[in-house]
Amino acid sequence: MIKVSDTAKTKIAQLMTEGGFNVANDFVRVGVKSGGCSGLSYELDFDKTQTETDKLFEDNSVKIVVDKKSFLYLVGTTLEFSGGLNGKGFVFNNPNANRTCGCGESFSL
């Protein structure tokens, strides 16, 4: 399961609306790809379709789809949004990551 904090929910709803997506029907697509300074990096996008290999979750009224491969890396992750002085953007609090980079956008297991 992937959780969504209240601050992330608010920002997701705003960005989805601005992008022509409907937060009640469309999805946040979260994934992991090779790359980044720690070996793996996070992906986040909006999507209107779900494939047969996607896992669907809903938390805090946000629908999240994750492909099966990425799901193994993201189990237990909380998606948050930070708007502080240290940077603005979505943050993945991933309990599975053994090492993360300084920018917080990549990790390794």
Side-chain angles (χ1 to χ4, degrees):
M1 172 124 191
I2 297 173
K3 300 227 178 246
V4 178
S5 73
D6 289 337
T7 54
K9 173 189 173 182
T10 301
K11 191 63 176 181
I12 287 168
Q14 175 193 345
L15 292 172
M16 286 184 91
T17 301
E18 289 172 2
F21 292 88
N22 182 330
V23 74
N25 299 320
D26 299 327
F27 308 100
V28 175
R29 180 168 294 282
V30 179
V32 172
K33 67 178 180 177
S34 294
C37 50
S38 293
L40 298 167
S41 61
Y42 299 107
E43 295 182 302
L44 187 140
D45 205 355
F46 303 127
D47 202 341
K48 294 179 182 269
T49 58
Q50 179 183 359
T51 69
E52 291 179 11
T53 60
D54 287 334
K55 291 191 171 278
L56 172 66
F57 303 96
E58 186 167 344
D59 186 61
N60 210 356
S61 301
V62 175
K63 293 179 181 164
I64 303 167
V65 290
V66 182
D67 65 88
K68 285 184 182 178
K69 179 183 171 190
S70 295
F71 174 71
L72 299 173
Y73 297 107
L74 296 171
V75 172
T77 296
T78 300
L79 180 60
E80 298 188 24
F81 184 80
S82 174
L85 297 174
N86 292 335
K88 186 181 250 187
F90 288 99
V91 177
F92 292 82
N93 286 326
N94 186 343
N96 305 305
N98 289 333
R99 182 171 50 112
T100 59
C101 67
C103 65
E105 294 179 12
S106 68
F107 68 102
S108 66
L109 299 175

